[in-house]
Amino acid sequence: MLNTRALSAQIIYAVLDEQKSLTACLAQLPKDLSASQKGQIQDFCYGCLRQFPKLNRLINQLCHTKLKPELNQLRYLLAIGIYQLLDEKAAEHAAIDETVEASKQMGLYAFTNMINAILREFQRERDTLPLDNPQDVQATHPNWLVKQLKQAYPKGFKKIIAANLQQAPMWLRINQQQYADAQSYYALLQQAEINFIADKKNPHSIKLDAPLAVDKLPNFFDGACTVQDAAAQNAARLLQPQDGERILDACAAPGGKTTHILELAPKAQVDALDIEVERLERVEQNLERLNQQAHVIAGDASEPQQWWDGILYDRILLDAPCSATGVIRRHPDILYLRREDDIQQLAQLQHKILKQMWQILKPGGTLVYATCSVLPQENKQQISQFLAQTSDAELQSIFASDTAADPGWQILPNQQNMDGFYYAVLKKQA
């Protein structure tokens, strides 16, 4: 079997050269890999994609030439080796030897000596090499995205770019149905020597000091908690679900928000809708783990006539398809896969879905619009346009500053350690 460096180089090649999803590639790893091996592959892939302009610059400098595109698997293997030498978590000789071994496993026999020489030269010369270049950071983001971020956030776009290159924290949502008093779960974490910080406003929301495998979390498989970023945890809270209500979680997969709705309102009638049948399996798994019941529907939110039973909903959570530009630190492949013309297409789809969801909401009902984007055309501009065009739509203020011209709550990446997210709460007039 290929070692972790060879597997990682193949995944990076699949993302950068074949335009495949990093999440999908990681999901296809061999089943017999250990948790530590999977963790190392994830670290190599995430780290190299976040730092690729810097790593590639160093590779070109050490090779004294630019490698041809047909040698990109070699390039990515060298990137992994340099990344690990920079990281300093492993012994340097092990990092070099394992990278050379990976080249043999990948059939790059003609380049094993070259790989060994380049990595050893980096090892010797690293103190004299220009490791940090301000241009490397901005080069991680495509020009169109830098331009849009600069236009939307002229004073803060550099902070957004920097935040996108950081490792995301691990947040947990403690199950309120099992632990009405969050302190009781805190005690289990402390017994397991797991350090964390609790959200002062939401004690059932905690941030771990360091990410760890879920099987290390007390009672995780019995539904004690769910891994969910603090920003995403606001969705169900803003929806304010009530027992007995009929609620739709549109675009529900993988189910984190569906299960949160049911934690807050366990007697609500919840429909969980998503267009991707395979991802709905995750919804089913999460519901089962938390011992919850929901009606899971495979369907297109933009075409409700195909699946809707004709009964209006009291509340709808619309976590709309978006550019995911607020969660780049969790999905660095977005930097390489997203295209500028995607944004307009997504905005049009969001507008269509929003209009359709509004038609199946009861008069007096509430709709929460959410995205994990930081781009105004998907967020504030989208809601302003909808309010202007929809006579029975009323903006519910999240903050006193909310207006139809400047609606909703835009969270930027790493604000209070959260992912980038947007929320707007709309009321349908009775």
Side-chain angles (χ1 to χ4, degrees):
M1 186 175 71
L2 298 179
N3 70 15
T4 56
R5 289 154 187 80
L7 289 168
S8 301
Q10 289 184 341
I11 290 174
I12 294 169
Y13 180 86
V15 171
L16 296 183
D17 291 57
E18 298 176 344
Q19 299 290 285
K20 293 182 179 179
S21 158
L22 175 58
T23 300
C25 291
L26 290 171
Q28 294 171 0
L29 284 170
K31 302 296 183 185
D32 54 352
L33 289 173
S34 68
S36 63
Q37 287 174 317
K38 290 179 180 177
Q40 188 174 58
I41 291 169
Q42 190 167 348
D43 175 46
F44 289 155
C45 292
Y46 276 72
C48 288
L49 288 173
R50 288 181 182 127
Q51 299 185 34
F52 186 69
K54 171 181 179 176
L55 297 171
N56 196 41
R57 175 176 57 79
L58 290 169
I59 290 166
N60 290 337
Q61 186 170 347
L62 291 164
C63 289
H64 307 292
T65 183
K66 288 186 178 181
L67 295 175
K68 296 179 180 179
E70 53 265 34
L71 294 177
N72 275 351
Q73 289 208 27
L74 170 62
R75 183 195 313 277
Y76 305 144
L77 199 53
L78 283 168
I80 291 166
I82 294 173
Y83 168 75
Q84 196 173 18
L85 290 170
L86 285 168
D87 200 37
E88 298 181 342
K89 289 180 182 176
E92 292 187 347
H93 66 86
I96 294 172
D97 292 347
E98 287 294 318
T99 305
V100 171
E101 177 60 27
S103 70
K104 297 175 183 177
Q105 294 176 0
M106 295 171 67
L108 298 171
Y109 299 102
F111 301 97
T112 54
N113 289 337
M114 174 184 173
I115 291 171
N116 184 64
I118 287 173
L119 294 181
R120 292 196 182 281
E121 182 179 353
F122 176 80
Q123 183 185 24
R124 290 192 306 271
E125 306 293 336
R126 60 174 296 166
D127 291 339
T128 62
L129 289 169
L131 298 182
D132 296 312
N133 185 329
Q135 294 181 345
D136 289 339
V137 175
Q138 194 155 309
T140 57
H141 289 54
N143 290 334
W144 70 264
L145 181 54
V146 173
K147 182 180 178 180
Q148 291 201 19
L149 290 174
K150 189 174 183 179
Q151 183 176 355
Y153 310 100
K155 294 182 180 179
F157 77 99
K158 291 182 180 179
K159 287 184 178 180
I160 295 173
I161 290 172
N164 287 343
L165 302 180
Q166 302 303 309
Q167 182 180 11
M170 184 172 179
W171 283 88
L172 302 181
R173 187 188 80 234
I174 300 169
N175 188 342
Q176 293 180 227
Q177 294 302 312
Q178 291 191 24
Y179 301 93
D181 179 7
Q183 294 286 342
S184 54
Y185 193 69
Y186 295 174
L188 295 179
L189 290 170
Q190 289 162 351
Q191 289 171 18
E193 298 183 344
I194 297 172
N195 298 320
F196 62 92
I197 298 173
D199 186 320
K200 293 179 181 178
K201 292 182 180 179
N202 302 295
H204 285 81
S205 179
I206 62 173
K207 182 178 74 69
L208 302 185
D209 283 8
L212 48 75
V214 294
D215 60 3
K216 305 295 184 184
L217 297 170
N219 302 333
F220 176 82
F221 295 106
D222 296 322
C225 62
T226 296
V227 178
Q228 187 181 39
D229 189 78
Q233 292 184 39
N234 288 304
R237 296 190 188 109
L238 290 170
L239 189 66
Q240 298 183 340
Q242 305 297 315
D243 284 338
E245 290 183 330
R246 178 174 161 86
I247 299 171
L248 174 64
D249 182 4
C251 313
K257 299 177 183 70
T258 303
T259 56
H260 197 188
I261 290 169
L262 286 163
E263 284 176 25
L264 298 178
K267 295 180 181 179
Q269 302 171 46
V270 178
D271 288 350
L273 172 77
D274 204 275
I275 195 171
E276 295 187 37
V277 176
E278 290 183 359
R279 296 190 73 220
L280 281 172
E281 292 178 10
R282 290 281 308 280
V283 179
E284 298 273 17
Q285 292 166 4
N286 281 316
L287 287 166
E288 182 178 0
R289 184 177 64 82
L290 276 79
N291 193 27
Q292 295 174 339
Q293 299 294 323
H295 182 210
V296 178
I297 305 170
D300 185 345
S302 71
E303 302 287 347
Q305 67 275 10
Q306 297 178 358
W307 51 266
W308 180 49
D309 61 8
I311 303 174
L312 297 172
Y313 290 96
D314 295 287
R315 298 178 196 268
I316 296 175
L317 171 59
L318 172 54
D319 188 1
C322 72
S323 64
T325 45
V327 291
I328 288 172
R329 62 183 185 171
R330 295 191 187 277
H331 303 281
D333 52 329
I334 291 168
L335 295 169
Y336 305 97
L337 303 182
R338 187 66 66 214
R339 297 290 179 263
E340 184 172 14
D341 56 6
D342 293 342
I343 308 306
Q344 185 59 37
Q345 294 174 18
L346 285 164
Q348 291 171 355
L349 177 60
Q350 291 154 1
H351 182 68
K352 181 179 179 181
I353 294 175
L354 185 52
K355 287 177 64 178
Q356 293 295 326
M357 292 296 97
W358 197 251
Q359 299 306 312
I360 62 175
L361 180 68
K362 279 184 182 179
T366 298
L367 184 147
V368 172
Y369 176 85
T371 76
C372 54
S373 169
V374 296
L375 300 179
Q377 53 268 54
E378 298 182 85
N379 298 338
K380 293 190 175 187
Q381 292 175 17
Q382 187 73 257
I383 296 302
S384 291
Q385 178 188 9
F386 181 76
L387 288 168
Q389 296 175 351
T390 313
S391 59
D392 60 350
E394 178 184 337
L395 180 69
Q396 298 290 104
S397 295
I398 301 174
F399 300 108
S401 58
D402 266 11
T403 65
D406 188 20
W409 179 17
Q410 179 67 71
I411 306 168
L412 297 179
N414 213 29
Q415 281 187 344
Q416 300 176 27
N417 290 304
M418 291 190 286
D419 287 344
F421 242 83
Y422 175 79
Y423 289 108
V425 182
L426 303 173
K427 186 87 169 180
K428 190 171 187 177
Q429 294 175 1

